[in-house]
Amino acid sequence: MTVESKPTPPKPEDAFERAVARLDQAANHVELHTEVIERLKFAKSILTVSVPVRMDDGSLRMFEGHRVRHNDLRGPGKGGLRYHPEVTLDEVKTLAFWMTCKCAVMDLPFGGAKGGVAVDPKSLSTRELERLSREFVARIADFIGPETDIPAPDVYTNARIMGWMMDEYSTVVRRRTPGVITGKPLSLGGSRGRDTATGFGGYICLKEWEQAEGWTPQDTTVAVQGFGNAGQAIARLLHDDGYRVIAVSDSKGGIHQPEGFDVDSLIRTKNETRELKAVYCQGSLCEAVDADTLDNEEILKLDVDILVPAALSNVISEANATDIKAGVILELANGPIDDGADAILAKKGIPVIPDILANAGGVTVSYFEWVQNRSGDYWSEDEVTKRLEKRMRTQFQAVRDLAAEHEVPLRTAAYILALKRIGDAVEAMGTSRYFNSGT
Ligand code: NAD
């Protein structure tokens, strides 16, 4: 009898340590005071709150929420708020750390933060969701603010929720404060272009990549795992450019069609019915879309030119990395590839455009929104798009040049860039080198 040995899954509570450990690889390539890494190995401040919610049936339910400010040397903390049943403090700390690095890669005047509530939002009514959102923000109100820490949408939170939260915060501080949160509805001080910014940023990375690869869009195939805000936006942009989006999936599973989908109609169906499954299993739509079904594991293993994980973390691990066949992976989700898988993909020669660059379009337009809220001067969609494209191209090229200079993967290069910028801020405050000189 043979005993099958399975790789031990990483302990969830280790995620922050494992994420921070990635800095060590990059640190070998930068002249950096040891204090920089020392500082980044700790979150600046952490708040955990309980959130009581009166349910529609009169009962009380308690939820747990967190807000973590990882580092704010370069500016106020910035980062999304996530609603998901598996939210843990360790995950929120990890996501906050990535935000510190992402804001530095994009050269935004922000540090990193993140928050989340452990809840299955799909199990709540709209009124319960509003009560939860308002109560959560009231309980973290002393911790956030336009000068200290600015939340935004993330998984299963959206513009409407950001609007409720801004309204509640304004009530708590007795002052209309649109700059406390970004990703708001346009009518409540949101920015044009915020809803598609993450997808657009990833798309610009691929356009830069396309120049080097010499792809022709109609011969280039794409699979997108996760068909929410980020996944839909990039699928639509690539489809409009002529790329063949041949597979997409959501939490309930995926669909595959080798000729490529009409992405606009997929988006319509998904948003009307709230699930992709409806595209192939509901009456006339079944006939309208000729597609095979596949699960969320299979979509990752398709032989495509571009694979876009746009859902959750750690979906590509040591357990499945050897089966990945994509030509390039664009990490639109945060942390979809764990560090063990990273090494396997590097050995297989599959390049990865890393999350802290690939999905930074969202935080960049969040920055634009914050600037507009503070100045009262609101920009056209065209203005936002131009500014975003310029910043994405500039920082993509900076990362690509560092990768070539140090002969390292793009991920390491992105961390090198982040460390240089955070390192400059640490040096400007003075390190032991400064304080010991002349004494
Ligand atoms: P969203 O809630 O709009 O969409 C998430 C999508 O993932 C949904 O379609 C959901 O059905 C799907 N999903 C959930 N579980 C899944 C599973 N197990 N397998 C496959 N699909 C699954 O969220 P979003 O804003 O699009 O965020 C997606 C990812 O992008 C997250 O990792 C988020 O942190 C990252 N991100 C988003 C933004 C942004 O501005 N929205 C910015 C940066 C990074």
Side-chain angles (χ1 to χ4, degrees):
M1 194 178 90
T2 56
V3 179
E4 208 176 76
S5 83
K6 283 197 183 146
T8 321
K11 279 191 257 147
E13 66 269 25
D14 288 338
F16 179 71
E17 272 71 27
R18 282 185 287 110
V20 176
R22 280 189 173 173
L23 289 179
D24 293 329
Q25 290 162 347
N28 293 332
H29 300 273
V30 209
E31 222 185 287
L32 207 63
H33 199 284
T34 50
E35 287 180 19
V36 180
I37 304 286
E38 209 45 42
R39 273 176 179 264
L40 294 175
K41 286 192 170 163
F42 295 86
K44 178 174 179 179
S45 32
I46 296 174
L47 177 66
T48 294
V49 292
S50 58
V51 189
V53 177
R54 183 67 57 197
M55 307 302 279
D56 291 345
D57 66 1
S59 65
L60 180 77
R61 267 185 76 189
M62 299 297 291
F63 298 90
E64 187 171 76
H66 313 280
R67 184 74 189 171
V68 172
R69 193 139 73 245
H70 173 259
N71 186 286
D72 58 5
L73 260 188
R74 287 174 43 87
K78 186 87 194 78
L81 286 173
R82 173 174 293 201
Y83 286 171
H84 194 274
E86 279 154 34
V87 161
T88 62
L89 180 56
D90 182 51
E91 181 192 52
V92 175
K93 273 171 72 180
T94 308
L95 291 160
F97 159 71
W98 283 330
M99 286 307 298
T100 302
C101 299
K102 194 183 300 183
C103 291
V105 166
M106 295 310 289
D107 210 8
L108 304 175
F110 286 140
K114 202 82 180 189
V117 178
V119 57
D120 174 7
K122 293 180 193 169
S123 70
L124 302 187
S125 72
T126 315
R127 287 188 186 86
E128 289 165 345
L129 197 61
E130 181 184 2
R131 276 178 229 131
L132 171 80
S133 303
R134 287 185 180 274
E135 190 62 37
F136 177 56
V137 94
R139 284 171 182 244
I140 64 167
D142 290 338
F143 196 78
I144 59 171
E147 313 285 347
T148 45
D149 181 348
I150 306 130
D154 193 74
V155 174
Y156 294 143
T157 55
N158 57 22
R160 188 181 298 275
I161 294 174
M162 297 305 109
W164 290 333
M165 289 183 166
M166 186 276 286
D167 186 55
E168 188 66 28
Y169 180 85
S170 299
T171 303
V172 171
V173 301
R174 299 201 162 275
R175 200 171 301 120
R176 187 79 180 163
T177 317
V180 67
I181 208 156
T182 59
K184 301 178 294 292
L186 267 185
S187 51
L188 296 178
S191 175
R192 291 191 165 73
R194 176 61 184 86
D195 49 346
T196 50
T198 302
F200 184 77
Y203 165 78
I204 293 299
C205 292
L206 288 175
K207 295 312 277 182
E208 285 283 325
W209 195 260
E210 181 190 274
Q211 287 173 18
E213 291 288 314
W215 284 330
T216 44
Q218 58 277 17
D219 299 324
T220 309
T221 52
V222 185
V224 182
Q225 187 200 46
F227 208 54
N229 173 292
Q232 289 184 14
I234 197 155
R236 176 176 268 151
L237 285 160
L238 291 172
H239 172 71
D240 288 351
D241 250 15
Y243 286 78
R244 274 197 292 141
V245 178
I246 65 160
V248 295
S249 69
D250 65 10
S251 59
K252 307 236 171 61
I255 47 177
H256 178 215
Q257 188 191 61
E259 296 75 41
F261 288 111
D262 171 358
V263 173
D264 287 329
S265 97
L266 276 192
I267 291 175
R268 249 192 332 271
T269 310
K270 159 85 187 170
N271 295 343
E272 273 164 17
T273 61
R274 294 178 166 234
E275 50 188 79
L276 272 173
K277 226 169 59 173
V279 173
Y280 54 85
C281 73
Q282 270 193 4
S284 58
L285 284 164
C286 292
E287 290 98 57
V289 179
D290 178 21
D292 301 327
T293 59
L294 76 182
D295 66 27
N296 266 307
E297 187 61 24
E298 289 164 334
I299 195 168
L300 298 170
K301 297 177 184 169
L302 287 176
D303 189 359
V304 284
D305 297 301
I306 304 168
L307 173 63
V308 186
L312 300 175
S313 304
N314 297 322
V315 290
I316 302 179
S317 65
E318 280 173 284
N320 61 4
T322 42
D323 300 323
I324 305 291
K325 302 178 199 71
V328 61
I329 302 177
L330 179 85
E331 288 188 318
L332 222 46
N334 283 308
I337 301 177
D338 75 13
D339 37 357
D342 234 6
I344 296 170
L345 294 172
K347 243 191 223 150
K348 285 173 65 109
I350 300 177
V352 175
I353 305 178
D355 48 6
I356 57 171
L357 173 67
N359 69 28
V363 69
T364 303
V365 176
S366 273
Y367 163 57
F368 297 164
E369 182 174 333
W370 179 75
V371 169
Q372 293 171 77
N373 291 154
R374 287 156 65 89
S375 68
D377 177 21
Y378 285 84
W379 308 341
S380 67
E381 178 133 14
D382 195 40
E383 176 76 21
V384 170
T385 306
K386 268 196 210 133
R387 287 182 189 242
L388 174 58
E389 179 169 352
K390 186 165 175 230
R391 201 173 271 262
M392 284 307 308
R393 287 198 191 274
T394 305
Q395 305 310 337
F396 182 93
Q397 288 159 11
V399 170
R400 190 193 51 204
D401 293 352
L402 279 171
E405 181 189 335
H406 295 281
E407 297 178 359
V408 292
L410 289 169
R411 190 188 309 284
T412 309
Y415 279 109
I416 292 174
L417 186 58
L419 278 179
K420 280 182 182 220
R421 289 176 174 157
I422 298 163
D424 285 349
V426 174
E427 287 285 357
M429 300 277 291
T431 59
S432 60
R433 198 155 40 212
Y434 169 79
F435 288 105
N436 291 336
S437 64
T439 55

